[in-house]
């Protein structure tokens, strides 16, 4: 009996190409590559699932909308304040910020005649990492809305708020984990002096990192307690500070920027809580950062095929589904000098 043999992969591909050609389809002009799925019982012709999803459901109008969308609470702005964005490839490497070598005083930097200059080295560790694919989807019944285009935009905004809130929570957790913490009392008549507390924290941070922390962050309950402490002094200086903006307080402490966070999250079924409740931070960050500057926390991000954000949309008979994705990874490239005040 002759043993029946299966056609090879190449023979199956040639057969598929012949079949497609007989149907008037130019295989070479297909938008997506064909492949034969070897583990399929029927050796069926398939399209790559991810590529097929991208082709069928990518929404350029919604992606453009998402790129220009602005959250009224500006959670993204708060996120960038703490962890400035740095664009990288999906897989990347960075050096932990140099510290000790940066502040060495070289008393032997004078070259002797006939000799070479002193050679110095930096010992920062190189870290290999990759950005993570993050995203959310939402589906709603079409009967709830009359304008599908507007509905998709509303859903895109909802998902972006959720994504940025989650990213912000992760970044605050990283900031808190790397900080040196000091407890202060600002909410009673016998309160500590907030400006003195800040100066003490900034001076301590400088001796750890070598840099004067240039940004101050308050949870809004900590900011309220700080205002109470200023008012409790019952002095012109105290009231002047109580009326100052976060930016003005930061500048009086020789910092570049100050920001108060009003962001809350759902902590239980019927309860909300503040992100970073009762905390203040002093840290170092610069806008337009690169891979190796001394910013404490950076948010590495990778572009999708359409930019920082990519939106997909699927419209069914009775439902509309929107998906938003991005690639990112917040990282503390150094924690030396981050200072936290826990306020009561």
């Amino acid at each position: 009996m002759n043993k029946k043999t299966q056609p090879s992969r190449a023979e199956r591909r040639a057969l598929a190409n012949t079949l497609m050609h007989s149907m008037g389809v130019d295989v070479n002009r297909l938008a997506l590559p064909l492949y034969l799925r070897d583990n399929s019982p029927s050796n069926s012709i398939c399209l790559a699932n991810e590529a097929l999803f991208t082709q069928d459901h990518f929404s350029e109008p919604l992606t453009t909308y998402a790129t220009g969308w602005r959250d009224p609470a500006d959670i993204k702005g708060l996120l960038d304040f703490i962890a400035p964005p740095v664009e990288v490839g999906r897989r990347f490497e960075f050096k932990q910020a140099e510290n000790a070598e940066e502040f060495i005083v070289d008393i032997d930097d004078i070259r002797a005649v006939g000799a070479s200059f002193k050679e110095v080295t930096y010992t920062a560790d190189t870290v290999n990492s990759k950005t993570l694919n993050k995203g959310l989807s939402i589906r709603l019944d079409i009967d709830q809305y009359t304008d599908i285009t507007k509905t998709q935009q509303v859903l895109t905004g909802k998902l972006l708020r959720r994504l940025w809130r989650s990213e912000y929570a992760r970044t605050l957790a990283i900031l808190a984990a790397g900080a040196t913490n000091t407890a202060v009392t600002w909410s009673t008549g016998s309160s500590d002096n907030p400006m003195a507390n800040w100066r003490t924290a900034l001076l301590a941070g400088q001796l750890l990192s070598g840099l004067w922390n240039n940004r101050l962050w308050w949870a809004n309950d900590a900011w309220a307690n700080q205002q109470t402490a200023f008012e409790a002094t019952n002095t012109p200086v105290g009231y002047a500070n109580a009326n100052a903006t976060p930016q003005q307080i930061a500048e009086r402490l020789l910092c570049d920027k100050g920001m108060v966070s009003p962001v809350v999250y759902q902590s239980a079924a019927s309860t909300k809580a503040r992100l970073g409740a009762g905390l203040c931070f002093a840290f170092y960050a610069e806008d337009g950062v690169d891979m190796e500057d001394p910013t404490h926390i950076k948010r590495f991000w990778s572009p999708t095929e359409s930019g920082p954000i990519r939106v997909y949309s699927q419209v069914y008979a009775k439902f509309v589904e929107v998906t938003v994705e991005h690639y990112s990874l917040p990282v503390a490239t150094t924690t030396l000098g981050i200072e936290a005040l826990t306020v009561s």
Side-chain angles (χ1 to χ4, degrees), residues 36-67:
L36 288 167
R37 196 167 57 193
D38 286 330
N39 61 351
S40 168
S42 60
N43 288 323
S44 56
I45 302 172
C46 304
L47 291 172
N49 289 339
E50 183 177 355
L52 182 61
F53 181 86
T54 299
Q55 174 179 275
D56 286 352
H57 305 302
F58 166 62
S59 173
E60 185 173 353
L62 287 178
T63 298
T64 301
Y65 173 82
T67 302

Side-chain angles (χ1 to χ4, degrees), residues 53 57 139 142 314-321:
F53 181 86
H57 305 302
R139 174 188 282 198
I142 289 178
Q314 302 174 73
V315 179
Y316 302 95
K318 300 299 294 182
F319 299 96
V320 59
E321 184 170 296

Side-chain angles (χ1 to χ4, degrees), residues 84-96 125-134 167 289-292 297-303 327-333:
V86 182
E87 183 177 353
V88 295
R90 284 297 317 281
R91 295 187 180 275
F92 64 98
E93 66 177 34
F94 65 93
K95 288 186 178 295
Q96 296 282 1
D125 293 331
T126 298
V127 179
N128 293 302
S129 191
K130 71 174 183 177
T131 54
L132 304 177
N133 190 202
K134 302 167 184 175
E167 193 84 334
V289 297
D290 58 30
M291 298 280 284
E292 297 180 13
I297 300 178
K298 301 172 186 177
R299 188 176 67 87
F300 296 106
W301 68 276
S302 302
Y327 294 89
S328 70
L329 184 71
V331 174
T333 56

Side-chain angles (χ1 to χ4, degrees), residues 63 98 100 107 112 148 160 162 195 205 216 235 303 308:
T63 298
E98 294 98 353
I107 60 175
I148 296 301
L160 283 170
R162 293 273 289 263
M195 298 302 277
L216 303 181
T235 64

Side-chain angles (χ1 to χ4, degrees), residues 83 113 117 150 161 189 209 214 217 241 246 299 302 311 329 339:
V113 176
F117 288 112
K150 185 175 181 180
R161 280 194 293 273
S209 71
N214 64 343
W217 179 97
N241 284 330
R299 188 176 67 87
S302 302
V311 183
L329 184 71
E339 294 290 325

Side-chain angles (χ1 to χ4, degrees), residues 206-337:
Q206 184 184 32
L207 290 183
L208 290 172
S209 71
L211 298 172
W212 187 264
N213 286 330
N214 64 343
R215 294 190 179 182
L216 303 181
W217 179 97
W218 294 260
N220 59 354
D221 61 336
W223 173 263
N225 284 336
Q226 178 181 272
Q227 304 311 91
T228 299
F230 286 142
E231 293 164 351
T233 64
N234 197 26
T235 64
V237 172
Y239 285 114
N241 284 330
N243 291 328
T245 66
Q247 182 64 29
Q248 289 170 331
I249 294 294
E251 291 174 356
R252 290 173 189 178
L253 291 164
L254 304 181
C255 300
D256 295 336
K257 294 183 179 181
M259 189 170 286
V260 174
S261 171
V263 181
V264 300
Y265 69 101
Q266 197 71 25
S267 58
S270 59
T271 307
K272 292 178 176 60
R274 292 179 181 84
L275 284 174
L279 290 173
C280 309
F281 293 106
F283 57 94
Y284 190 87
E286 292 285 356
D287 295 327
V289 297
D290 58 30
M291 298 280 284
E292 297 180 13
D293 78 282
T295 289
H296 278 121
I297 300 178
K298 301 172 186 177
R299 188 176 67 87
F300 296 106
W301 68 276
S302 302
T304 68
E305 295 178 11
S306 308
I309 297 290
R310 191 168 176 87
V311 183
Y312 305 93
S313 177
Q314 302 174 73
V315 179
Y316 302 95
K318 300 299 294 182
F319 299 96
V320 59
E321 184 170 296
V322 174
T323 301
V324 180
E325 70 163 346
H326 68 106
Y327 294 89
S328 70
L329 184 71
V331 174
T333 56
T334 178
T335 59
L336 289 174

Side-chain angles (χ1 to χ4, degrees), residues 32-213:
L32 297 173
L34 286 170
Y35 69 90
L36 288 167
R37 196 167 57 193
D38 286 330
N39 61 351
S40 168
S42 60
N43 288 323
S44 56
I45 302 172
C46 304
L47 291 172
N49 289 339
E50 183 177 355
L52 182 61
F53 181 86
T54 299
Q55 174 179 275
D56 286 352
H57 305 302
F58 166 62
S59 173
E60 185 173 353
L62 287 178
T63 298
T64 301
Y65 173 82
T67 302
W69 178 84
R70 293 293 178 269
D71 176 19
D74 196 22
I75 298 176
K76 178 63 162 53
L78 288 162
L79 172 62
D80 291 346
F81 178 79
I82 295 175
V86 182
E87 183 177 353
V88 295
R90 284 297 317 281
R91 295 187 180 275
F92 64 98
E93 66 177 34
F94 65 93
K95 288 186 178 295
Q96 296 282 1
E98 294 98 353
N99 191 268
E101 292 92 346
E102 189 70 30
F103 298 96
I104 290 175
V105 175
D106 294 289
I107 60 175
D108 52 351
D109 59 346
I110 301 172
R111 188 181 71 87
V113 176
S116 300
F117 288 112
K118 174 188 175 181
E119 182 177 334
V120 300
T121 58
Y122 288 89
T123 59
D125 293 331
T126 298
V127 179
N128 293 302
S129 191
K130 71 174 183 177
T131 54
L132 304 177
N133 190 202
K134 302 167 184 175
L136 295 170
S137 296
I138 187 171
R139 174 188 282 198
L140 288 180
D141 194 302
I142 289 178
D143 286 351
Q144 294 180 272
Y145 300 90
T146 57
D147 187 334
I148 296 301
T149 299
K150 185 175 181 180
T151 298
Q152 290 173 309
Q153 292 178 348
V154 170
L155 296 181
T156 298
K158 285 179 178 289
L159 294 181
L160 283 170
R161 280 194 293 273
R162 293 273 289 263
L163 287 169
W164 293 139
R165 193 183 308 273
S166 299
E167 193 84 334
Y168 185 48
R170 290 188 192 98
T171 303
L172 278 175
I174 293 171
L175 188 65
T180 299
N181 191 281
T182 302
V184 297
T185 303
W186 289 350
S187 58
T188 67
S190 57
S191 303
D192 292 329
N193 181 339
M195 298 302 277
N197 295 148
W198 276 121
R199 284 192 292 268
T200 299
L202 289 164
L203 288 165
Q206 184 184 32
L207 290 183
L208 290 172
S209 71
L211 298 172
W212 187 264
N213 286 330

